[in-house]
Amino acid sequence: MNKILKEKLSEALSSVLPITLIVLVLSATVAPMPVGTLALFLTGAVMLIAGMALFSLGTDVSMTPMGEGIGAQLPKTKNLGVVIGLTLLIGVLITIAEPDLQVLAGQVPSIPNAVLIWTVAGGVGLFFVLAMLRTLFRIRLSLLLFVFYIGVFTLSAFVPNEFVSVAFDSGGVTTGPITVPFIMSLGIGLASIRGDRDAQDDSFGLVALCSIGPILAVLLLGIFFRGGNPSYTRVTVPDIQDTRQVAQIFLHGLPEYIREVCSALLPIIVFCAVFQLVFRRFHRLQMEKIGVGFGYTFIGLALFLTGVNVGFMPAGHFLGRQLALSGHSWILLPLGMLIGYFLVTVEPAVHVLNRQVEAITKGSVSQRAMMLSLSIGVACSVGLAMLRVLTGISIYWLLIPGYTLALLLTLFVPRMFTGIGFDSGGVASGPMTTTFLLPFSMGACEALGGNVLTDAFGVVAMVAMTPLLTIQALGVLYKRKQRRAETAEMAVGAGEDEIIVLEEGVPHE
């Protein structure tokens, strides 16, 4: 276990170090940062490294095997009503547990937190049921994506503009560090009981559908909710005098996030315990290992959330504001892309997805190729988000062409890459996006005098969109590589046949 933990720490360090260096260079050059804010950021970076390592280790030994076990066991009940009911319950519980959703709900105070959270949870629960039924009954994912995204954009035409960005952001934040490991492993478990040749392809796509439910739910909320126009909570950058204050701020924040993680994980742990009592899926040693894994997950997530919320959020807001006021606001575009390129590597759920993709494809799609595709996609999305901040163009001008192209690509790429691509969009838009990129956009938008709700909100939606394109582009390359390999294999086979024929024609002495 110590060796694995060292590997996880090394992986976390290599993920966090680039974005830390970028912020340090910016703070020393174009965006001088108060020493107190910088101290918060650096302390947060250390907590991120420790939190990511422990969380990654914990999900490997707890969330993943438990999710796969539940996914494989549910259809064996042979009662579709029970399966649907349990799937709906799981979807609602893990969504309420998602820390990213709490962050977003807190930044849109004109909609009561409970209303927004339960609306989003209901959307995820219903679409989780749909995703489960799709896997069991072998419904083509691209067909459902076409139908529901057409429905999303049609419905959004009847919703106030302030709700549209929040709705698309909701679809991104619900698939974070709690949701993704559990949903993806459950999908693998569901697909494992089928045993047909398409089962591997259909093990992906659950996250993709679960990202659509919240968008539709919040759009409907925008039509029927009469609580006034949405507003947002400004990010405050604390005025810090010395290092003791830095320690006090983190010590004050840590218990809050420990309570948040407790309330997030407890329903899942209770559900898993009841599942084990009823079905006896795991033996005693497995349950002990899973219990230890939940402990690692708890500590890691508490450290991670404290680091990003207390350390990264004020730094992101301050950097965005200073760069916008630097007199060269265009610099937001290239610097935003650079930050986005490296920031996605810090998302905990991204590493979970990449490991599972490499394992299921038996190395055909490597973690490195996945990470490069995601980094390029997120860099482009942050660049587009900064373009919106600078120009105020409607999010529709980017989302409609982007999703249209992503849906058209589903007709040309292997089925597996459709699932991976649309899953990647939800995975990439995790806590780092909501606690660094969103405040970064808000700070820049406030400094430029723009409308934060229409111009800054939506960055999560942009981050969730572009990986759909880059991962499916990777699928096109994979398909070509596969065809070339098959052609070469056929040529070698034909050559061997020719040699055999020639040998048979040689007379024996």
Side-chain angles (χ1 to χ4, degrees):
M1 189 70 78
N2 289 335
K3 183 181 177 181
I4 299 172
L5 183 57
K6 286 179 181 178
E7 290 175 0
K8 299 294 185 185
L9 281 169
S10 177
E11 185 181 273
L13 180 62
S14 63
S15 298
V16 176
L17 192 58
I19 188 64
T20 305
L21 292 175
I22 290 169
V23 172
L24 286 174
V25 170
L26 290 177
S27 66
T29 53
V30 293
M33 189 180 292
V35 174
T37 306
L38 185 60
L40 283 177
F41 175 80
L42 292 175
T43 308
V46 173
M47 296 184 77
L48 250 69
I49 294 168
M52 277 184 68
L54 291 170
F55 174 81
S56 181
L57 178 62
T59 54
D60 283 354
V61 298
S62 62
M63 291 275 203
T64 299
M66 183 59 77
E68 288 180 9
I70 293 173
Q73 186 68 44
L74 278 179
K76 294 180 181 179
T77 60
K78 301 187 183 302
N79 186 323
L80 190 60
V82 172
V83 173
I84 289 174
L86 288 175
T87 306
L88 179 65
L89 179 62
I90 293 170
V92 171
L93 286 178
I94 59 177
T95 305
I96 293 172
E98 190 55 64
D100 298 358
L101 181 57
Q102 307 285 342
V103 174
L104 182 70
Q107 292 181 353
V108 189
S110 61
I111 305 173
N113 284 18
V115 173
L116 185 60
I117 289 169
W118 279 101
T119 299
V120 170
V124 173
L126 291 172
F127 272 73
F128 192 25
V129 171
L130 177 66
M132 181 271 299
L133 294 175
R134 180 198 76 85
T135 303
L136 291 179
F137 295 109
R138 309 177 190 185
I139 303 169
R140 194 173 180 87
L141 176 63
S142 56
L143 175 64
L144 294 177
L145 293 174
F146 266 101
V147 169
F148 285 111
Y149 273 112
I150 289 172
V152 162
F153 285 107
T154 303
L155 184 62
S156 67
F158 303 97
V159 177
N161 287 336
E162 292 80 6
F163 271 94
V164 173
S165 295
V166 175
F168 278 94
D169 282 354
S170 299
V173 301
T174 50
T175 46
I178 291 287
T179 312
V180 168
F182 201 78
I183 286 183
M184 289 203 66
S185 55
L186 197 144
I188 293 169
L190 282 170
S192 68
I193 66 166
R194 281 180 24 188
D196 60 281
R197 65 178 185 175
D198 293 327
Q200 175 180 293
D201 298 346
D202 287 340
S203 63
F204 297 101
L206 270 75
V207 175
L209 289 172
C210 289
S211 297
I212 299 174
I215 302 174
L216 284 170
V218 176
L219 288 174
L220 289 170
L221 180 68
I223 294 173
F224 297 108
F225 181 72
R226 291 293 177 265
N229 291 326
S231 59
Y232 71 98
T233 300
R234 285 176 173 268
V235 176
T236 56
V237 179
D239 183 20
I240 298 170
Q241 303 299 324
D242 52 41
T243 52
R244 190 195 313 188
Q245 276 188 282
V246 172
Q248 287 174 343
I249 290 173
F250 275 99
L251 289 173
H252 178 74
L254 184 59
E256 177 185 343
Y257 294 106
I258 287 175
R259 286 193 296 271
E260 192 172 295
V261 175
C262 271
S263 62
L265 286 179
L266 189 60
I268 296 175
I269 292 171
V270 170
F271 180 87
C272 292
V274 173
F275 170 84
Q276 173 64 12
L277 287 172
V278 173
F279 296 105
R280 302 288 179 181
R281 176 80 189 184
F282 303 98
H283 57 68
R284 181 180 172 183
L285 287 177
Q286 286 177 312
M287 286 306 299
E288 288 177 359
K289 189 177 179 182
I290 288 170
V292 172
F294 272 119
Y296 281 126
T297 304
F298 171 81
I299 297 169
L301 196 54
L303 291 174
F304 182 88
L305 290 177
T306 306
V308 295
N309 282 281
V310 178
F312 272 55
M313 187 178 284
H317 186 274
F318 184 86
L319 278 179
R321 182 174 181 82
Q322 289 300 107
L323 291 173
L325 294 174
S326 65
H328 303 285
S329 55
W330 58 267
I331 204 172
L332 285 166
L333 279 170
L335 287 179
M337 292 182 72
L338 183 66
I339 290 170
Y341 183 90
F342 290 105
L343 199 71
V344 70
T345 64
V346 190
E347 293 286 3
V350 164
H351 296 280
V352 175
L353 172 71
N354 292 349
R355 284 195 297 273
Q356 292 195 352
V357 169
E358 185 175 70
I360 287 176
T361 61
K362 296 180 174 60
S364 299
V365 184
S366 66
Q367 293 188 50
R368 185 177 180 182
M370 281 289 297
M371 187 60 80
L372 180 61
S373 300
L374 284 171
S375 293
I376 292 171
V378 174
C380 293
S381 65
V382 179
L384 293 172
M386 292 303 103
L387 182 66
R388 290 185 61 237
V389 169
L390 291 170
T391 63
I393 62 171
S394 171
I395 195 170
Y396 284 120
W397 287 103
L398 301 174
L399 288 183
I400 292 176
Y403 275 99
T404 300
L405 181 56
L407 291 169
L408 289 175
L409 279 172
T410 65
L411 304 175
F412 304 99
V413 302
R415 288 178 61 179
M416 177 178 64
F417 277 91
T418 297
I420 294 173
F422 278 82
D423 282 355
S424 299
V427 169
S429 50
M432 290 304 299
T433 304
T434 52
T435 57
F436 190 86
L437 286 181
L438 183 55
F440 182 83
S441 298
M442 291 168 69
C445 194
E446 288 172 7
L448 294 172
N451 184 331
V452 172
L453 278 170
T454 57
D455 300 339
F457 277 82
V459 65
V460 182
M462 299 306 302
V463 170
M465 179 189 73
T466 48
L468 316 184
L469 303 173
T470 55
I471 297 295
Q472 289 194 98
L474 178 66
V476 173
L477 296 176
Y478 172 82
K479 191 174 181 180
R480 287 182 180 176
K481 181 180 176 183
Q482 201 173 39
R483 281 179 177 173
R484 280 198 293 266
E486 288 172 357
T487 304
E489 191 176 328
M490 289 172 65
V492 170
E496 289 175 352
D497 291 341
E498 187 176 339
I499 291 170
I500 291 170
V501 169
L502 289 171
E503 287 179 347
E504 288 175 347
V506 175
H508 295 281
E509 294 182 2

